[in-house]
Amino acid sequence: MTEDTKKSAFQFHGNWVDFAKIALVNLLLTIITLGFYRFWATTREREYLWSQTQFIDERFEWVGTGKELFIGFIIIAFLFLIPFSLLYFFATIINPLAAGIVYIIGLLFVFYFVGLAKYRMLRYRLSRTYWHGIRGGSDDKGFRFGLTYMIKTTLGFLPLGLANPWATCELWNERWEKLSFGPNDFQSHASYNSVFGTYLLSYIFFPFTWVYQARLRRTLIDGLRLEKLEFAFTASTFDWIGLIIVDVLIVLGTLGIGLIFIPYRHWQFYINHLEAYGEVNLDALTQSQTAKEKHGEGLLDAFDVGAI
Amino acid sequence: MANDIVDPFFSVSHFDGKTAVRRKVEIQTIGQNFFLLENERRHGPYTFDYMHFVSKTKDNISYGYEDIDGWRLTLSGPIPEGLKPLLPATRTYGSWIDKLGLGKASVAFIAVSAAVLVVGMTAPQWLAPIIPQSVENSLGDTLVGDFGGRFCNTPDGKAALAKLTNSLDGNPDDLQVEVVNIDMLNAVALPGGKIFLFEGLIQQAESVDEVAGVLGHEIGHVRERHVMQGLLRQLGLSLVLGGLNENVGGVLNSALSNSYGRDAEREADSHSIRVMSEANISPIGTKGFFEKLADMTNEDNDISEMTSYMSSHPLSTERAAAFQKSFDANKDYKPALSSAEWGAIKSMCKNDPDVKSGFGFDLFDE
Ligand SMILES: [Zn+2]
């Protein structure tokens, strides 16, 4: 890595040997607990990654716990997965039509929960992230966002998928505008205008999908503001391709063990390409008054929507 | 009292959780309580008991305080000896593991996981007998109903079938044995004591003894409650695998195919051998049936239902040998039914004007 002449507001200080010590023990503990340790494993990894990430003069602090993630998972398992599986099983016994109906209702539920979970994941992470003793959060529980998500995602796909960039930007903006850090609300003005051309090209020539994906991420983050701070994301298409190729080589070269480094590599990638401009007034940055939910991103975990 | 000899590399910074301003402070301890001294200001009093561990890095340890959101005390450098016993314990792997130590905790996890796996895998065996017969019966009725009108029925045929069943089981009222008008060399046991002998099996049988052996085997599945075990295993699998099986008919199909596992098949075979011996029916016919199965799979046959029967049942030659071994040359075997009765079963489907035929039944449609 080369030092830029002008230092970025975000600095990553981690090293992969330290991360490996955490990740390998996590892997072993997860295996011998039949997967149950993974909630605590995730927490340990986040504690490390957050603590190695500096913003201006101070590192972040992750205060989420494995127990919270575990409770989130249990809630989803008992409220949704297990009852639905039982219902589906007995429906298949009665007749295929009943099973089909249960299946479709289940899919609609999943659709709703994916939207809800995408919002809840952000809210949970912000409410567990401290910087200078101040955290983020939101009082919006996101139940309405789950509905908006269903509607806008569907609208985005209807005209041959053409409105997809519009739906993605709208939903991103909506999610962030519900969130705050300290006393300040996030503002998000990502516009599909700047990515729509590339999106059309990806219909004609498939590799433009990658260009679109890279642009989309830049557009989304470039549109974010927090009080006097503006954010930017600098990863180009080639940066992304490089990241993915090395990911694949690492995973193949280590016969899969390298998978445990992927969270580290991607976090590092995001932080190295994340920029912030503007100023922070420490006196005016007071504690968030938002409610803290008691459980973690169990929804997202259960539906495996994948993290950024 | 107040900080005795403090290492010059030791420093304390503090966030009060109200604003983001960082404060350089010194800790003034008074017994279990302390103040934080910042230039002219004094924060506190606080109590060590209300502090909790938040995070640590190579150089720093951070603590939080009871109900004050964002309150942080971050210690850098070597912590003074006098302060150490007052501070709360740190956390590494999670509080349970930290208490036990990584090694001991790992051993405990392995033991618990092994126990969970054993209980989980044997659950169908010990759960099945707990489920009341009435539940199993109504499940069976919902499942199959009248099997789309494919049960063959003539008074003579039914009487002969009942006689055969009576000779093989002391409690035939629990059982519902039917000949099903589907040309398939197979027989199945379903929930609620339902046993279906398919027409293909009846027509290809060289003697009634052969059918008796297969019926004895299926009765074995019922009496050992393999059917419910199979259903429970399937249910458990669909739960573990998330239950969202794409194939709507698939769950039932595999539950109903006689894939009860090799141990269950052996149990059903020994049940069959035992009841046949008690009924004075020769096992040689059944032995012939399995030899026939073995021959047919050796040739490259195009009878697909054959292979499906084979794949779930122990090797046919092995099974044939088991039936052969149970043959007692000194015993006075009698045919399972008279030839008139056997004829009535064989012609039951032909002589039933109402019976529907063939596949096309919902349950077996994929
Ligand atoms: Zn069997």
Side-chain angles (χ1 to χ4, degrees):
Chain A
M1 265 180 292
T2 52
E3 281 291 318
D4 284 355
T5 40
K6 182 185 149 294
K7 261 199 169 183
S8 163
F10 290 97
Q11 300 286 325
F12 184 62
H13 300 285
N15 77 71
W16 69 270
V17 179
D18 286 343
F19 185 82
K21 285 179 202 156
I22 293 168
L24 281 172
V25 175
N26 277 347
L27 180 66
L28 291 177
L29 284 170
T30 304
I31 290 170
I32 64 171
T33 55
L34 304 173
F36 268 94
Y37 188 73
R38 66 196 171 92
F39 308 103
W40 286 267
T42 305
T43 300
R44 282 197 73 205
E45 288 185 5
R46 287 197 190 147
E47 279 171 357
Y48 178 76
L49 294 175
W50 262 243
S51 74
Q52 299 303 322
T53 304
Q54 183 176 330
F55 178 61
I56 308 178
D57 64 332
E58 176 79 14
R59 297 184 183 197
F60 288 108
E61 189 180 75
W62 175 259
V63 303
T65 64
K67 200 164 124 195
E68 287 166 351
L69 293 178
F70 177 65
I71 292 171
F73 170 79
I74 291 293
I75 288 175
I76 274 303
F78 280 90
L79 243 57
F80 181 77
L81 290 181
I82 290 177
F84 182 72
S85 299
L86 286 171
L87 199 63
Y88 180 71
F89 182 81
F90 286 110
T92 53
I93 284 176
I94 294 164
N95 71 44
L97 181 70
I101 292 169
V102 170
Y103 191 69
I104 287 168
I105 292 172
L107 282 184
L108 284 174
F109 262 98
V110 170
F111 193 14
Y112 175 79
F113 277 125
V114 167
L116 182 62
K118 281 185 161 204
Y119 168 75
R120 287 280 187 117
M121 178 203 79
L122 271 181
R123 183 174 87 139
Y124 172 69
R125 291 185 186 185
L126 271 170
S127 73
R128 297 299 186 271
T129 298
Y130 281 80
W131 183 81
H132 276 250
I134 303 296
R135 65 173 173 88
S138 173
D139 281 329
D140 191 316
K141 292 192 188 329
F143 293 123
R144 192 189 282 261
F145 179 79
L147 286 177
T148 323
Y149 177 83
M150 287 173 89
I151 294 166
K152 291 201 171 159
T153 304
T154 310
L155 287 179
F157 274 107
L158 278 184
L160 298 167
L162 279 179
N164 199 9
W166 164 82
T168 308
C169 291
E170 282 279 300
L171 290 170
W172 168 273
N173 292 342
E174 241 167 273
R175 244 180 300 161
W176 276 99
E177 299 222 317
K178 293 182 198 307
L179 297 162
S180 59
F181 197 88
N184 306 315
D185 290 337
F186 279 96
Q187 291 165 293
S188 184
H189 301 296
S191 157
Y192 70 95
N193 288 333
S194 51
V195 287
F196 191 65
T198 328
Y199 184 72
L200 282 182
L201 284 176
S202 73
Y203 274 48
I204 301 159
F205 188 52
F206 175 75
F208 268 93
T209 308
W210 304 325
V211 183
Y212 166 69
Q213 290 295 343
R215 275 212 177 167
L216 179 67
R217 275 160 184 79
R218 291 202 299 270
T219 302
L220 294 177
I221 294 173
D222 288 354
L224 266 184
R225 282 185 69 112
L226 181 67
E227 242 258 311
K228 287 174 191 152
L229 279 177
E230 283 179 27
F231 296 91
F233 194 59
T234 60
S236 68
T237 309
F238 291 107
D239 291 333
W240 278 102
I241 292 174
L243 175 78
I244 304 296
I245 288 176
V246 178
D247 279 355
V248 170
L249 290 178
I250 287 176
V251 172
L252 293 181
T254 58
L255 301 172
I257 303 279
L259 268 175
I260 62 176
F261 290 112
I262 301 299
Y264 175 87
R265 285 180 43 74
H266 287 208
W267 179 264
Q268 186 180 36
F269 182 83
Y270 266 95
I271 298 303
N272 285 345
H273 289 98
L274 192 59
E275 301 285 345
Y277 309 99
E279 57 178 76
V280 181
N281 182 349
L282 292 179
D283 285 308
L285 185 58
T286 54
Q287 190 56 277
S288 172
Q289 298 306 310
T290 57
K292 265 183 148 179
E293 82 264 53
K294 308 232 165 16
H295 55 82
E297 54 206 67
L299 292 162
L300 197 81
D301 197 65
F303 290 118
D304 203 20
V305 186
I308 50 165
Chain B
M1 279 278 289
N3 354 307
D4 324 317
I5 316 134
V6 173
D7 195 301
F9 297 107
F10 176 70
S11 79
V12 186
S13 81
H14 170 56
F15 295 113
D16 63 11
K18 294 186 185 75
T19 77
V21 177
R22 183 208 305 273
R23 300 166 198 283
K24 283 287 283 176
V25 294
E26 283 177 21
I27 303 174
Q28 182 188 39
T29 57
I30 303 167
Q32 278 299 304
N33 300 324
F34 63 95
F35 288 95
L36 297 176
L37 308 180
E38 179 198 10
N39 297 334
E40 324 286 84
R41 290 177 64 187
R42 193 171 81 151
H43 306 267
Y46 302 108
T47 305
F48 282 107
D49 287 345
Y50 291 155
M51 270 170 73
H52 60 261
F53 168 78
V54 175
S55 65
K56 67 178 175 209
T57 61
K58 270 197 191 99
D59 323 300
N60 303 322
I61 303 185
S62 274
Y63 298 94
Y65 196 81
E66 186 79 324
D67 284 330
I68 310 179
D69 192 9
W71 188 98
R72 289 291 181 273
L73 196 61
T74 304
L75 314 182
S76 316
I79 294 168
E81 286 302 322
L83 198 56
K84 270 184 189 166
L86 298 168
L87 296 169
T90 61
R91 176 169 34 78
T92 309
Y93 302 104
S95 48
W96 289 9
I97 302 179
D98 291 342
K99 254 172 232 161
L100 277 173
L102 188 57
K104 270 190 195 163
S106 300
V107 173
F109 283 143
I110 291 171
V112 171
S113 297
V116 167
L117 283 178
V118 168
V119 170
M121 287 197 299
T122 57
Q125 262 122 305
W126 50 263
L127 266 179
I130 299 171
I131 290 176
Q133 191 63 47
S134 60
V135 171
E136 189 183 324
N137 289 349
S138 55
L139 189 64
D141 289 338
T142 328
L143 270 176
V144 284
D146 68 345
F147 218 70
R150 282 171 188 78
F151 295 152
C152 303
N153 190 352
T154 64
D156 291 353
K158 282 299 241 187
L161 200 55
K163 189 178 166 194
L164 183 63
T165 312
N166 288 359
S167 69
L168 294 172
D169 195 89
N171 231 340
D173 289 348
D174 298 355
L175 302 171
Q176 181 196 348
V177 181
E178 303 282 358
V179 173
V180 177
N181 195 20
I182 292 174
D183 185 19
M184 192 159 85
L185 190 65
N186 208 346
V188 290
L190 299 178
K194 293 175 196 300
I195 293 170
F196 296 167
L197 305 169
F198 290 98
E199 173 70 352
L201 176 92
I202 304 285
Q203 292 311 322
Q204 291 192 40
E206 275 156 36
S207 72
V208 67
D209 292 359
E210 236 180 271
V211 175
V214 173
L215 180 56
H217 172 94
E218 300 304 335
I219 293 175
H221 281 315
V222 172
R223 293 300 174 220
E224 307 283 348
R225 302 212 64 176
H226 294 154
V227 185
M228 213 53 213
Q229 282 177 24
L231 265 177
L232 286 173
R233 188 166 295 127
Q234 202 65 36
L235 177 62
L237 272 182
S238 70
L239 277 183
V240 171
L241 301 177
L244 298 172
N245 194 333
E246 291 280 345
N247 183 352
V248 172
V251 177
L252 238 208
N253 242 345
S254 51
L256 297 191
S257 67
N258 28 22
S259 56
Y260 297 126
R262 293 204 159 195
D263 288 345
E265 297 308 335
R266 283 205 186 87
E267 263 176 48
D269 275 353
S270 7
H271 185 97
S272 178
I273 288 169
R274 202 183 66 241
V275 294
M276 291 229 294
S277 155
E278 281 165 13
N280 265 337
I281 302 170
S282 164
I284 296 303
T286 317
K287 174 208 153 202
F289 171 73
F290 286 119
E291 279 173 350
K292 199 161 60 183
L293 276 182
D295 281 354
M296 290 175 84
T297 39
N298 283 342
E299 299 159 21
D300 26 20
N301 67 83
D302 47 356
I303 309 165
S304 60
E305 54 266 40
M306 249 352 251
T307 31
S308 83
Y309 192 76
M310 294 298 303
S311 63
S312 56
H313 283 63
L315 224 55
S316 296
T317 43
E318 191 189 312
R319 304 179 70 184
F323 278 87
Q324 170 70 58
K325 218 179 116 200
S326 74
F327 179 75
D328 180 352
N330 300 322
K331 215 166 172 178
D332 181 20
Y333 288 115
K334 295 190 187 73
L337 291 174
S338 73
S339 57
E341 288 162 331
W342 173 223
I345 294 179
K346 275 202 119 160
S347 60
M348 185 155 60
C349 291
K350 243 172 285 155
N351 293 344
D352 181 348
D354 305 325
V355 73
K356 297 206 173 59
S357 67
F359 293 94
F361 183 69
D362 289 352
L363 281 174
F364 287 83
D365 280 344
E366 289 266 353

